[in-house]
Amino acid sequence: QPEVQEGGTLNVAMNSPLSGLDPAYAGLWLDYSVGSLMHQQLFEVDQEFNMVGLLAEDVEISDDGMTWDISLQEGVMFHPPYEREMVAEDVVYNFDRIGDPDVGSPRAAQLQPLENWSAVDDYTFRIELASELASLPAWLGFMGLSVLSPDALEEEGDAKQLPIGTGPFKFEEWQPREQLRLSKFDNYWESDVPLVDEV
């Protein structure tokens, strides 16, 4: 259409079933593509294949390249019923969870170059590297390192059936091998997104 159309439902056919909704266990590209509508990483690849900040607004790197202070977007909200602002401690929680051997996430390997991670303040997430890694944003933008609501994870036990993130769409219903229904998150942090009411 020559002009942007807003509202309505976008129906999308999936070429295979989803393996699950928890990004910590995402193994298929389809899982990642669908999941990115509900939850987000610190970085992403844009349409020109540049690695750019998503939940990350800016990065300050120490002179020796070993410490990265990542400034987070302010005003990013988790979806209801756990709606509150995302802060750096939430990022720490998710990295701890992915790196926990008891969780058994296949994404834990992406954390191997990281020696430590911590929250400096509400909007600064610090990473200390074991060795220099210029491609760190690409590591952090890979599928699986999304930020989910710690409150939801603690109460629900996992995100396999109820992924509560910060994405433009919130989870409504999943009938495995039948359909997944998402609705527009009205309190989404980016302006003019999303355009449709439901997927």
Side-chain angles (χ1 to χ4, degrees):
Q1 297 293 326
E3 296 180 4
V4 174
Q5 304 296 306
E6 295 188 41
T9 299
L10 175 65
N11 294 306
V12 181
M14 294 186 285
N15 60 2
S16 66
L18 295 168
S19 65
L21 300 177
D22 189 337
Y25 302 101
L28 303 175
W29 183 254
L30 180 63
D31 297 340
Y32 172 74
S33 299
V34 172
S36 66
L37 299 175
M38 296 177 282
H39 39 72
Q40 302 171 307
Q41 312 90 251
L42 295 173
F43 297 90
E44 68 173 351
V45 178
D46 68 11
Q47 293 182 351
E48 297 178 351
F49 299 101
N50 297 309
M51 189 60 63
V52 298
L54 184 57
L55 294 178
E57 184 177 36
D58 196 15
V59 177
E60 185 175 318
I61 306 172
S62 63
D63 291 340
D64 63 2
M66 302 296 285
T67 301
W68 292 51
D69 282 345
I70 301 172
S71 300
L72 303 177
Q73 301 281 356
E74 297 186 25
V76 175
M77 303 296 291
F78 287 115
H79 301 159
Y82 301 94
E83 196 166 2
R84 66 164 175 81
E85 186 179 21
M86 183 203 75
V87 294
E89 284 290 356
D90 298 320
V91 184
V92 171
Y93 180 97
N94 279 269
F95 275 54
D96 287 347
R97 176 176 180 256
I98 291 168
D100 185 349
D102 291 338
V103 172
S105 171
R107 305 279 77 83
Q110 292 164 235
L111 302 179
Q112 288 181 352
L114 282 55
E115 188 169 83
N116 191 37
W117 50 84
S118 59
V120 177
D121 54 42
D122 281 353
Y123 304 110
T124 307
F125 176 65
R126 173 171 291 171
I127 289 177
E128 296 168 71
L129 296 172
S131 60
E132 289 187 66
L133 183 66
S135 61
L136 180 60
W139 281 77
L140 301 180
F142 195 71
M143 67 176 176
L145 292 183
S146 299
V147 179
L148 299 178
S149 164
D151 304 326
L153 289 168
E154 289 291 330
E155 189 166 320
E156 304 295 333
D158 59 45
K160 294 176 182 176
Q161 299 292 330
L162 183 63
I164 302 292
T166 61
F169 291 92
K170 59 184 179 178
F171 174 84
E172 292 292 346
E173 177 189 16
W174 183 37
Q175 298 172 351
R177 308 185 75 86
E178 292 292 334
Q179 70 164 351
L180 173 71
R181 187 166 60 86
L182 312 176
S183 66
K184 176 180 181 178
F185 179 35
D186 291 326
N187 209 7
Y188 183 58
W189 61 277
E190 289 187 278
S191 60
D192 302 323
V193 179
L195 293 174
V196 298
D197 296 329
E198 190 176 67
V199 176

